[in-house]
């Protein structure tokens, strides 16, 4: 079994080595580091509570479905093993992640927990199911209808009303189409050619790549070394746009960009209103913008 496991994960391990363990570097960049002694205790608690909050609807639906069900008998050894195995699949990823975060004194991002709970409903059914009575099915269907309607309504309410209460930039408010149009137009005005490449800060870069009619290829973090689809000779020949938001580049990073991209021409920053139902009084999105001129 151990050998089969190693064979299955071998391609993933090879990819990790070839990319310099990129997912781990991403986690290292995103997970908050404990700066006070009490964070060692509060971070795991905060992480656990965030997971309970986000899976609460699923817990509620499972509870509705399993009311009145009796725990399964452990007489059948094969069935007992299957239940233990499913329990490990349901809880193991969360426990391992929590233990790693505790050991490293880091706070995982709450949304990282979504895939950790994929087997939880199946494990609950295996231990306390099955769901077979009409009453159980009706309760589950009613609860599902409530959740199915309440969740999108809550999302709309938060998106519409939160900007009126606090000025907090969010991904859903990012003016991706306007930014892509502005950057593309400036490139066309300067070179009269399609925009071939865009790189830099993740959010601005990806929005330009998606919304620009030129469909420029992405240079991840402005680093061709981690963007294998980017031909360096073509990049040098056709040029690129580098974008970043406030606070994403320090002096050392800018100096590195200038070394990597000779002729880097920094333009005036682009300020755009956030996309919200509240039209005024919010800080705009400010994106810095630099051109790497083509060198035929």
């Amino acid at each position: 079994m151990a050998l089969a496991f190693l064979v299955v994960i071998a391609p993933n391990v090879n990819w990790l080595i070839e990319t310099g363990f990129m997912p781990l570097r991403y986690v290292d960049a995103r997970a908050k580091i404990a700066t006070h002694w009490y964070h060692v205790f509060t971070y795991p608690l905060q992480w656990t509570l965030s997971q309970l909050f986000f899976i609460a609807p699923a817990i509620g639906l499972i509870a509705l479905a399993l009311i009145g069900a009796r725990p399964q008998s452990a007489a059948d050894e094969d069935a007992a093993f299957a239940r233990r195995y499913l329990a490990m699949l349901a809880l193991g990823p969360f426990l391992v992640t929590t233990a790693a975060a505790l050991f490293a004194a880091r706070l995982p991002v709450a949304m990282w927990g979504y895939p950790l709970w994929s087997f939880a409903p199946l494990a609950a059914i295996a231990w306390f199911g099955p769901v077979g009575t009409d009453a159980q099915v009706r309760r589950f269907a009613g609860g599902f209808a409530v959740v199915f309607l309440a969740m999108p309504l809550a999302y709309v309410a938060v998106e519409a009303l939160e900007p009126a209460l606090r000025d907090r930039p969010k991904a859903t408010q990012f003016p991706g189409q306007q930014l892509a149009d502005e950057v593309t137009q400036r490139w066309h005005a300067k070179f009269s050619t399609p925009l071939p490449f865009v790189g830099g800060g993740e959010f601005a870069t990806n929005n330009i790549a998606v919304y620009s009619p030129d469909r420029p290829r992405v240079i991840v973090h402005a680093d061709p070394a981690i963007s294998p689809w980017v031909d360096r000779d073509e990049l040098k020949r056709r040029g690129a746009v580098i974008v970043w938001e406030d606070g994403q580049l320090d002096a050392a990073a800018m100096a590195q960009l200038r070394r990597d991209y000779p002729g880097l021409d920094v333009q005036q920053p682009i300020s755009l209103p956030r996309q919200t139902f509240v039209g005024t009084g919010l800080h705009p999105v400010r994106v810095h913008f630099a051109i790497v001129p083509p060198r035929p």
Side-chain angles (χ1 to χ4, degrees), residues 73-95:
S73 171
D76 186 340
E77 183 59 32
D78 290 339
F81 172 79
R83 289 194 292 273
R84 292 195 300 270
Y85 185 76
L86 285 172
M88 181 273 293
L89 292 178
L91 298 175
F94 167 75
L95 294 176

Side-chain angles (χ1 to χ4, degrees), residues 94-145:
F94 167 75
L95 294 176
V96 170
T97 302
T98 304
L102 180 62
F103 176 78
R106 307 295 286 267
L107 175 63
V109 177
M111 65 180 179
W112 293 349
Y114 283 101
L116 303 183
W117 302 104
S118 300
F119 288 94
L122 181 60
I125 296 298
W127 278 88
F128 301 102
V131 177
T133 68
D134 291 342
Q136 288 176 314
V137 174
R138 284 196 298 270
R139 284 196 301 267
F140 179 83
F144 177 81

Side-chain angles (χ1 to χ4, degrees), residues 195-199 216-219 229-231 234-235 238-241:
L195 175 61
F197 296 99
V198 61
R217 280 166 285 176
V218 170
I219 314 169
W229 51 87
V230 174
D231 182 277
E234 183 185 6
L235 173 59
R238 300 184 63 191
V241 160

Side-chain angles (χ1 to χ4, degrees), residues 222 242 244 249-267 289-293 295:
I242 307 298
W244 65 96
L249 288 185
D250 55 19
M254 176 56 71
Q256 184 62 50
L257 271 181
R258 292 190 181 280
R259 287 192 294 270
D260 293 340
Y261 296 97
L264 185 77
D265 186 11
V266 178
Q267 309 292 302
F289 168 47
I291 289 175
V292 181
R295 291 188 291 169

Side-chain angles (χ1 to χ4, degrees), residues 45-241:
L45 179 62
Q46 182 178 342
W47 157 251
T48 301
L49 291 177
S50 74
Q51 296 310 295
L52 289 175
F53 174 78
F54 285 114
I55 65 173
I59 293 175
L61 290 175
I62 293 171
L64 285 174
L66 294 177
I67 291 175
R70 296 181 179 179
Q72 295 294 297
S73 171
D76 186 340
E77 183 59 32
D78 290 339
F81 172 79
R83 289 194 292 273
R84 292 195 300 270
Y85 185 76
L86 285 172
M88 181 273 293
L89 292 178
L91 298 175
F94 167 75
L95 294 176
V96 170
T97 302
T98 304
L102 180 62
F103 176 78
R106 307 295 286 267
L107 175 63
V109 177
M111 65 180 179
W112 293 349
Y114 283 101
L116 303 183
W117 302 104
S118 300
F119 288 94
L122 181 60
I125 296 298
W127 278 88
F128 301 102
V131 177
T133 68
D134 291 342
Q136 288 176 314
V137 174
R138 284 196 298 270
R139 284 196 301 267
F140 179 83
F144 177 81
V146 171
V147 172
F148 188 77
L149 293 174
M151 296 298 284
L153 289 176
Y155 175 81
V156 170
V158 170
E159 289 299 312
L161 300 178
E162 185 184 24
L165 302 175
R166 60 173 177 169
D167 187 356
R168 181 173 75 96
K170 298 175 63 177
T172 53
Q173 302 170 1
F174 194 85
Q177 182 70 67
Q178 296 93 318
L179 176 64
D181 291 343
E182 181 71 19
V183 169
T184 303
Q185 289 170 8
R186 293 196 188 187
W187 177 271
H188 288 177
K190 198 170 185 67
F191 300 110
S192 300
T193 62
L195 175 61
F197 296 99
V198 61
E202 293 176 1
F203 219 78
T205 295
N206 293 335
N207 272 268
I208 294 170
V210 168
Y211 290 111
S212 172
D214 294 342
R215 295 295 186 268
R217 280 166 285 176
V218 170
I219 314 169
V220 178
H221 295 170
D223 185 359
I226 56 175
S227 310
W229 51 87
V230 174
D231 182 277
R232 293 175 185 262
D233 291 334
E234 183 185 6
L235 173 59
K236 178 180 177 180
R237 184 177 70 255
R238 300 184 63 191
V241 160

